[in-house]
Amino acid sequence: MNLHENLLGGPPPTHLPENEEAYRMLAEQSATPAEVAAAHPTFSLAWAMLADDAFEAGRLVESYAYARTGYHRGLDALRRAGWKGHGPIPFSHRANRGFLRCLAALARAAGAIGETEEADRCWQFLKDSSDEAYAELKR
């Protein structure tokens, strides 16, 4: 039996590819999220970090824009990885966390600027994608 087989018949989990250079820039080179986003614009984690920083500083529209950018770059990456618009996106897989964090940041920023329908849709998308991410990020 395949340990990753979905017994309910749904799509298999999607695992985005790792970007070791972007992680290295953040860790070893102490690059800022803006520097990493400029060097690796498809790396959603950098956009999530920018969105979080802007939100914490009260720059809600800027946070929304950063989160939306990372969200869309993440959707593109998910599709390239075989995702068909639904199915699990495990938070336990490091490369998925940037997209999931952008999705949560987009929900949070949308709610803060009064876009409640979008906020609700994004929170539901997060929950449908990863219960673990939803529990961790919806605070």
Side-chain angles (χ1 to χ4, degrees):
M1 178 175 175
N2 180 349
L3 293 178
H4 298 290
E5 181 180 353
N6 184 336
L7 299 177
L8 299 177
T14 301
H15 297 96
L16 292 172
E18 297 283 355
N19 183 332
E20 294 301 333
E21 176 58 29
Y23 288 115
R24 192 172 14 269
M25 284 181 73
L26 286 171
E28 296 170 12
Q29 299 174 18
S30 300
T32 67
E35 291 168 330
V36 176
H40 300 278
T42 62
F43 187 63
S44 290
L45 180 60
W47 295 107
M49 295 170 78
L50 288 166
D52 290 347
D53 290 347
F55 191 86
E56 289 171 18
R59 300 185 318 268
L60 303 179
V61 172
E62 189 177 326
S63 177
Y64 179 89
Y66 285 135
R68 182 161 286 290
T69 300
Y71 165 80
H72 280 288
R73 297 313 292 260
L75 284 177
D76 292 343
L78 284 166
R79 290 182 187 111
R80 283 191 303 277
W83 185 74
K84 303 290 187 215
H86 67 285
I89 305 168
F91 190 67
S92 59
H93 181 66
R94 179 176 76 158
N96 290 352
R97 290 184 193 150
F99 168 75
L100 295 167
R101 283 183 54 185
C102 281
L103 183 53
L106 182 58
R108 182 187 60 220
I113 64 171
E115 288 285 338
T116 54
E117 286 183 27
E118 181 174 27
D120 292 345
R121 179 187 58 79
C122 289
W123 286 126
Q124 187 61 53
F125 183 11
L126 182 64
K127 185 165 183 17
D128 293 344
S129 298
S130 171
D131 285 329
E132 182 184 4
Y134 183 81
E136 174 75 21
L137 301 172
K138 188 162 195 301
R139 333 176 202 131

